[in-house]
Amino acid sequence: MFPAASLLTIIFLALSIAGSPVEIDNSPVTLPIARRLNVSNGPINLLQQDKARVTALKDNSFSTQGGHTGSTPVTDVVLTYLIAVGIGSPATTYNLIVDTGSSNTWVGANTKYVKTKTSVDTREPVSVGYGSGSFSGTEYIDTVTLGSGLTITAQSIGVASTSAGFTSVDGILGIGPVGLTSDTLTNEPTKTIPTVTDNLYSQGTISQKVIGISFEPTISKTVTNGELTFGGTDATKYTGSIEYTPITTTYPSSNYWGINQSISYGSTTILSSTAGIVDTGTTFVYIASDAYAKYKSATGGTLDAATGLLLISSSQYKALKNLNFHIGSKTYALTPNAQIWPRSLNSYVGGSSNAIYLMVSDIGTPSGAGFDFVNGYTFLERFYSVFDTANSRVGFAETSYTDATTN
Ligand SMILES: *[C@@H]1O[C@H](CO)[C@@H](O)[C@H](O)[C@H]1NC(C)=O
Ligand SMILES: *[C@@H]1O[C@H](CO)[C@@H](O)[C@H](O)[C@H]1NC(C)=O
């Protein structure tokens, strides 16, 4: 219709009318995240470590008792989704766990914090216990850079002086609800610390407090196939539409990205509608003990001592039915293949190479606890997820991996 030159002129005119300088503002920003299974110290009990975290989440014990680890020995985090985050000017890059189940952002566990001209020491002691680990140190104000050019000024971050369970990563990018930061500042327990999402929004960098997350199933130990979008969603990463469900009002799930859902195995309900959470820091799917007992008996799985996971035979695998998550008016089905640990990674979790292990485990308490499931990577690697603070809701959509045979 228009020759290119005149079209450009029209665009320039439109832009100069709109005001200059022209800023590309408010658009969603997408960043890569890497999935890493660090088994350099030999086979690990992934379940034990994962479960310690789930127990801490359930007991709602992220707080200034940073040392809280129950009776479980702390082992280093081994399966993580990591994002590269720059802090300071010039920036030092830190590899941080992308965590929707906690909200403090902190560094210094492995790569030491490098102070620059943008670092401000607030002298506020901070500490957080995660069940599977902990950190304590001092809160700093600094410039945080996400990807190339998404900059947050005056972000409050924790700088660890001691930490446990995080020696192979540098810390955490906490993108849970801001309320989870209360009781983490030792001297001001009622104060909360604005999260990176809060500051991206208040500084006008994103126009909505929305995070979109894409994970994909994988059989490699390390691969960059995840994606975190601030300020919106990435339509190339899901199929169909995103359906939303409100944050649950049931405590303690209501403190997290908590939702109501029911679960059926095939056509049999194993967990009636109840509250639980969606968590990018948990590997497996956890369900209340009564639901787990039903799942175990329906699948025929037996508890494997080496891995802690349910072991099934190949004929039981052939007979496996979909595990259906009913959320709002939608059903999200984990296919049989989506319910099993990738067989090529069996030896790393202490399993035998041809065995088949299920990625659904026992939360450790009967349903009715207000925290009756955790939808971890097992679920999130098959469905796109959206965390919408402004509208207090969580969304899910199918992806090209929902029904894929990968494991
Ligand atoms: C894996 O974890 C160990 C500590 O458990 C650490 O020494 C090593 O550097 C880590 N490897 C990678 C690739 O991060
Ligand atoms: C979730 O379930 C609880 C318990 O049945 C119910 O009170 C609540 O209204 C439901 N919906 C939300 C959004 O919490």
Side-chain angles (χ1 to χ4, degrees):
M1 285 223 277
F2 297 100
S6 60
L7 185 57
L8 270 180
T9 312
I10 290 166
I11 291 170
F12 274 118
L13 277 173
L15 288 175
S16 48
I17 290 163
S20 57
V22 177
E23 282 180 68
I24 300 189
D25 213 6
N26 290 345
S27 49
V29 179
T30 291
L31 307 161
I33 37 189
R35 183 191 200 265
R36 192 184 71 191
L37 177 65
N38 179 353
V39 285
S40 59
N41 292 341
I44 36 86
N45 194 324
L46 186 55
L47 182 78
Q48 185 189 52
Q49 182 207 35
D50 205 38
K51 215 163 180 170
R53 173 188 170 87
V54 167
T55 303
L57 290 167
K58 190 173 58 179
D59 296 348
N60 203 24
S61 57
F62 289 0
S63 70
T64 45
Q65 321 108 28
H68 175 99
T69 52
S71 55
T72 315
V74 172
T75 50
D76 203 48
V77 285
V78 283
L79 181 55
T80 45
Y81 272 97
L82 296 171
I83 186 164
V85 175
I87 298 179
S89 178
T92 300
T93 301
Y94 303 89
N95 287 315
L96 305 185
I97 295 172
V98 174
D99 190 6
T100 58
S102 70
S103 306
N104 289 70
T105 291
W106 62 273
V107 301
N110 182 28
T111 307
K112 291 294 156 220
Y113 176 58
V114 178
K115 289 179 208 168
T116 65
K117 61 180 191 293
T118 54
S119 310
V120 179
D121 184 351
T122 73
R123 300 183 183 278
E124 281 261 27
V126 61
S127 79
V128 186
Y130 300 92
S132 50
S134 62
F135 94 93
S136 57
T138 307
E139 207 65 14
Y140 275 70
I141 304 288
D142 210 336
T143 299
V144 171
T145 312
L146 299 161
S148 52
L150 185 60
T151 299
I152 307 165
T153 53
Q155 173 66 45
S156 186
I157 54 158
V159 172
S161 48
T162 59
S163 64
F166 298 97
T167 54
S168 65
V169 302
D170 296 321
I172 291 181
L173 181 74
I175 51 173
V178 68
L180 292 175
T181 63
S182 68
D183 209 18
T184 63
L185 291 171
T186 315
N187 299 334
E188 292 183 278
T190 57
K191 205 172 138 186
T192 58
I193 305 167
T195 64
V196 288
T197 317
D198 291 333
N199 284 330
L200 284 170
Y201 180 76
S202 63
Q203 293 175 14
T205 312
I206 56 174
S207 61
Q208 323 173 63
K209 277 195 204 177
V210 172
I211 294 166
I213 295 182
S214 165
F215 288 159
E216 293 174 7
T218 182
I219 56 166
S220 346
K221 279 194 288 178
T222 298
V223 62
T224 301
N225 64 0
E227 201 187 81
L228 175 60
T229 300
F230 282 104
T233 57
D234 178 355
T236 67
K237 292 292 180 183
Y238 58 88
T239 55
S241 60
I242 298 168
E243 300 292 329
Y244 291 91
T245 194
I247 299 287
T248 187
T249 53
T250 304
Y251 177 86
S253 296
S254 51
N255 284 353
Y256 299 93
W257 291 108
I259 60 171
N260 286 351
Q261 94 185 347
S262 65
I263 301 178
S264 61
Y265 177 74
S267 55
T268 309
T269 298
I270 60 169
L271 184 66
S272 305
S273 179
T274 186
I277 71 162
V278 182
D279 182 29
T280 62
T282 295
T283 300
F284 300 113
V285 161
Y286 289 83
I287 55 178
S289 300
D290 43 320
Y292 175 75
K294 289 178 187 153
Y295 180 73
K296 182 171 182 278
S297 116
T299 58
T302 53
L303 197 59
D304 175 65
T307 59
L309 299 171
L310 287 177
L311 173 69
I312 56 171
S313 67
S314 52
S315 58
Q316 285 166 332
Y317 175 57
K318 286 194 190 85
L320 214 57
K321 296 178 177 144
N322 283 354
L323 187 64
N324 303 300
F325 295 69
H326 307 283
I327 305 172
S329 59
K330 292 284 284 189
T331 295
Y332 302 89
L334 281 187
T335 64
N337 193 256
Q339 292 169 55
I340 68 167
W341 176 254
R343 281 167 274 190
S344 55
L345 301 178
N346 277 356
S347 61
Y348 299 124
V349 295
S352 43
S353 51
N354 295 316
I356 306 176
Y357 303 101
L358 295 168
M359 292 199 285
V360 176
S361 195
D362 183 359
I363 210 166
T365 43
S367 57
F371 195 102
D372 294 338
F373 58 84
V374 178
N375 294 358
Y377 304 160
T378 300
F379 183 85
L380 297 170
E381 288 178 350
R382 301 291 177 154
F383 299 99
Y384 191 80
S385 55
V386 185
F387 304 87
D388 181 348
T389 303
N391 300 300
S392 295
R393 60 184 186 168
V394 179
F396 300 104
E398 293 195 348
T399 76
S400 54
Y401 292 96
T402 299
D403 299 327
T405 299
T406 59
N407 298 332

